Amino acid sequence: MNITEIRITPADGREKSLVAYCSLTLDDCFAVHDLRVLQKRERLFVAMPCRKRMVPCPDCAAKNIVHARYCNFCGSTLADRSRDEFAERRLYVDVAHPVKESFRNELEHAILSKCASIQSFVNGIE
Ligand SMILES: [Zn+2]
């Protein structure tokens, strides 16, 4: 599988660790949006597109974000997950991601190389 296009959009600086957004195209036929380039402890890495994890309301089955105390649709009290370590770690779930580590490394290298080639981007993170 070839990465045939990478588009980088520098972040506006409102979120401290967010450096840029990225969209890419695979084999000229499949596009993936909302990848994010993040910086933590001087290291840049690529986060896959993700969404907040949802849990169903026991009364109406509507989906609510995992840490919601009350259902957004019927107002029922939801289970307290504040001490749920799994819920804490899995607040977000990837909606698309590489299956093989080798492709993840290839993807990350390609995206970070593209970022490094954009002069204004490089100046912004130094
Ligand atoms: Zn409900």
Side-chain angles (χ1 to χ4, degrees):
M1 182 173 296
N2 294 311
I3 304 163
T4 48
E5 183 178 16
I6 296 175
R7 291 183 184 190
I8 302 293
T9 305
D12 59 13
R14 280 187 282 184
E15 194 178 324
K16 190 178 174 190
S17 62
L18 178 62
V19 176
Y21 293 98
C22 173
S23 295
L24 56 86
T25 306
L26 302 172
D27 286 340
D28 283 322
C29 62
F30 192 82
V32 183
H33 302 283
D34 286 337
L35 289 93
R36 289 160 298 127
V37 178
L38 302 170
Q39 183 172 28
K40 268 197 177 160
R41 297 186 198 105
E42 308 300 316
R43 181 181 172 268
L44 291 176
F45 67 97
V46 177
M48 295 298 122
C50 63
R51 63 171 171 76
K52 274 193 172 176
R53 209 171 120 234
M54 306 296 270
V55 293
C57 169
D59 293 333
C60 73
K63 290 186 175 181
N64 294 275
I65 61 170
V66 73
H67 284 171
R69 293 177 147 202
Y70 303 99
C71 175
N72 280 331
F73 300 91
C74 73
S76 290
T77 302
L78 300 173
D80 180 9
R81 289 187 156 77
S82 62
R83 293 196 183 103
D84 183 342
E85 203 172 293
F86 180 76
E88 192 64 42
R89 280 182 298 155
R90 302 290 297 162
L91 186 56
Y92 292 91
V93 290
D94 289 347
V95 293
H97 59 86
V99 175
K100 293 183 176 180
E101 186 180 349
S102 60
F103 188 70
R104 176 180 240 297
N105 292 338
E106 181 184 334
L107 196 69
E108 189 164 81
H109 178 75
I111 291 169
L112 297 181
S113 296
K114 179 85 173 190
C115 287
S117 72
I118 302 170
Q119 192 60 41
S120 62
F121 181 84
V122 173
N123 291 340
I125 61 169
E126 284 178 345

